[in-house]
């Protein structure tokens, strides 16, 4: 008797930063459907890597699309990570869990208070016990030009103006709290800060590898105990005024050394770069900018799909 063939490894799709561009999201989703065999697509695990809001004009429509996915594709598994922009949006709407030690959110302002005037932190209705990032997100930055990105700020340091406008209120208005529908608030409330998957296959130069996968918006810090990081992220510990795993750059670029002893994929968005090096996958080609694509990676093949791909019917 010959042995039955090994079942195909399950498909995992990781989608990079969308940043309020519904046309890009629709095009990317269509391209994914066309690129993947139907039964595999309909049972795939789809991990969205965060940053659904800001910069682009259609945050409300993007969240409508994401909220509808479980009913449109009931056999898929959907994971929605929080990005730093989503955390800040949720903070403004007072949706974040309170600090576990009972301290007020205002304790987190102190470390960054030197930036308050320049960034024009929000000080309107409800600011008194708002997480730092909510105040920064809805603030009004005085400088108009972002010299690092070479673009004009759209309202705040987070470019949150278009998000307010997509819900029909002006940037920085406390009326946004009433304008955001309850199902969007639930979506933002339920976002996870980290997600782990076991037994994810990835095709490498050395053949197919079975790995653990950790998905987190920016990455894990190299010089901080990984178990401790994961514990804080799973608990969504809001004592921290700036969550490095969601906001960091150089500190979270590489895989922490302690995770290199057993094969672990770390997948992130955030960095406005497509970077694939071994098991470190960064899937964000700058989708928050009008002329840059939104990208996704399919595992195990490591095939990259973009909203700009022109695929044969």
């Amino acid at each position: 008797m010959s042995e039955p063939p090994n079942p195909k490894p399950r498909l995992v799709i990781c989608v990079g930063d969308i940043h309020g561009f519904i046309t890009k999201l629709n095009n990317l989703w269509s391209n994914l459907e066309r690129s993947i065999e139907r039964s595999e697509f309909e049972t795939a695990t789809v991990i969205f890597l965060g940053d659904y809001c800001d910069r682009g004009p259609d945050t409300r429509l993007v969240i409508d699309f994401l909220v509808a996915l479980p009913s449109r594709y009931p056999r898929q598994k959907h994971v929605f990570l929080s990005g730093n922009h989503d955390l800040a949006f949720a903070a403004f709407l007072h949706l974040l869990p309170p600090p576990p030690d009972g301290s007020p959110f205002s304790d987190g302002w102190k470390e960054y208070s030197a930036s308050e005037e320049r960034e024009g932190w929000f000080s309107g209705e409800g600011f008194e016990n708002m997480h730092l990032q909510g105040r920064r997100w809805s603030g009004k930055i005085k400088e108009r030009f972002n010299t690092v990105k070479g673009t004009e700020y759209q309202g705040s340091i987070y470019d949150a103006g278009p998000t307010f406008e997509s819900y029909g209120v002006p940037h920085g208005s406390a009326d946004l709290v009433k304008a955001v529908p309850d199902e969007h608030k639930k979506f933002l409330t339920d976002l996870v800060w980290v997600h782990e998957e076991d037994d994810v296959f990835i095709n490498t130069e050395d053949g197919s590898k079975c790995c653990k996968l950790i998905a987190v918006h920016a990455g894990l810090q190299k010089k901080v105990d990984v178990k401790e990081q994961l514990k804080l992220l799973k608990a969504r510990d809001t004592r921290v005024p700036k969550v490095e795993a969601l906001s960091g750059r150089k500190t979270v670029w590489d895989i922490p050394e302690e995770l290199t002893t057993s094969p672990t994929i770390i997948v992130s968005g955030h960095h406005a770069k497509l970077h694939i090096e071994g098991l470190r996958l960064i899937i964000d080609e700058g989708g928050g900018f009008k002329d840059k694509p939104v990208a996704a990676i399919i595992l195990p093949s490591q095939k990259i799909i973009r909203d700009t791909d022109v695929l044969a019917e």
Side-chain angles (χ1 to χ4, degrees), residues 81-82 87 95-102 105 131 188-196 215-216 220 226-240 243 245-246:
L81 286 176
S82 175
L87 179 145
L95 301 175
L96 295 183
D101 61 358
F105 282 128
H131 188 281
L188 292 164
T189 299
D190 291 345
L191 295 178
V192 296
W193 290 8
V194 67
H195 176 73
E196 296 177 90
V216 57
L220 295 176
V226 168
K227 280 186 185 167
E228 199 56 36
Q229 289 187 69
L230 293 175
K231 182 181 165 189
L232 292 174
L233 291 168
K234 285 173 187 171
R236 296 189 298 170
D237 191 330
T238 55
R239 285 174 298 182
V240 184
V243 182
L246 274 59

Side-chain angles (χ1 to χ4, degrees), residues 5 7 21 33 36 39 131 192 210 240 257 269 273 279:
F21 284 100
E33 278 194 293
I36 298 167
S39 65
H131 188 281
V192 296
C210 181
V240 184
E257 206 163 305
K273 284 184 174 69
L279 300 180

